[in-house]
Amino acid sequence: MSERNFYFWQQWLTWANVMTIVVGLLVAFAGNSIFFELHNEYTQKVFFEGEGFTTEALQLKNWLFGIIGGTIVGFHILMVMLSEYGVKRHEKWAYRAMWLGLLSWFLIDNSISVYYGAIHNVLIINIVSLILIGLPLVMVWKVFQ
């Protein structure tokens, strides 16, 4: 792989994580906005038989979205740092750490989502994120062998 192609994919990796930081901020501070309308609608169908959130359920959801959003932001700041200071320098440990973090999140989150019937979370959020961040990791794989 040429250094130019590597740089393209490494920058994709960084900017995909930067965009995910923005998503995390939206989750934390705008979880009831139009950005999450579809996710919230499916959540109501799965957990509340299609009824709207009660006041108490909405407060719980907003609190959970706040801490989930904060976790997303923190995780992806680490991913940006790994991309910019480890992967960019072709350091295997950073590449492996990114895969380990990404796959551990993906497997745990999907297992819990499927168990509770929240397939919408897998389809709307998790698979999109895995492709967005996993694709550049796959594309630079040979560099780290």
Side-chain angles (χ1 to χ4, degrees):
M1 166 175 281
S2 73
E3 193 59 30
R4 184 176 176 187
N5 283 341
F6 176 83
Y7 181 74
F8 170 82
W9 289 111
Q10 182 274 321
Q11 286 297 292
W12 175 319
L13 186 58
T14 293
W15 285 102
N17 282 286
V18 168
M19 290 187 306
T20 307
I21 291 167
V22 172
V23 171
L25 291 169
L26 288 171
V27 168
F29 298 108
N32 296 316
S33 69
I34 192 169
F35 299 113
F36 300 99
E37 191 173 312
L38 185 62
H39 193 276
N40 289 331
E41 182 180 313
Y42 282 120
T43 299
Q44 290 172 1
K45 286 180 183 177
V46 170
F47 295 105
F48 298 96
E49 299 175 351
E51 298 294 321
F53 295 118
T54 64
T55 302
E56 294 82 9
L58 185 58
Q59 284 183 319
L60 177 62
K61 184 197 87 64
N62 290 342
W63 172 65
L64 290 172
F65 266 42
I67 60 175
I68 292 165
T71 302
I72 292 168
V73 169
F75 177 81
H76 290 281
I77 286 172
L78 286 172
M79 295 290 271
V80 167
M81 300 303 283
L82 286 168
S83 178
E84 284 297 304
Y85 296 101
V87 172
K88 187 183 264 186
R89 295 179 183 151
H90 300 219
E91 295 181 20
K92 286 183 183 181
W93 68 267
Y95 178 79
R96 290 178 181 154
M98 292 192 88
W99 268 121
L100 186 59
L102 183 65
L103 292 177
S104 62
W105 155 76
F106 187 78
L107 293 172
I108 293 167
D109 194 307
N110 281 340
S111 297
I112 292 169
S113 293
V114 169
Y115 178 82
Y116 285 102
I119 305 303
H120 64 283
N121 190 60
V122 173
L123 299 174
I124 296 171
I125 306 292
N126 297 358
I127 290 177
V128 173
S129 298
L130 180 68
I131 292 169
L132 186 66
I133 296 167
L135 178 62
L137 290 172
V138 168
M139 296 307 291
V140 300
W141 176 75
K142 287 188 178 182
V143 172
F144 294 97
Q145 297 311 301

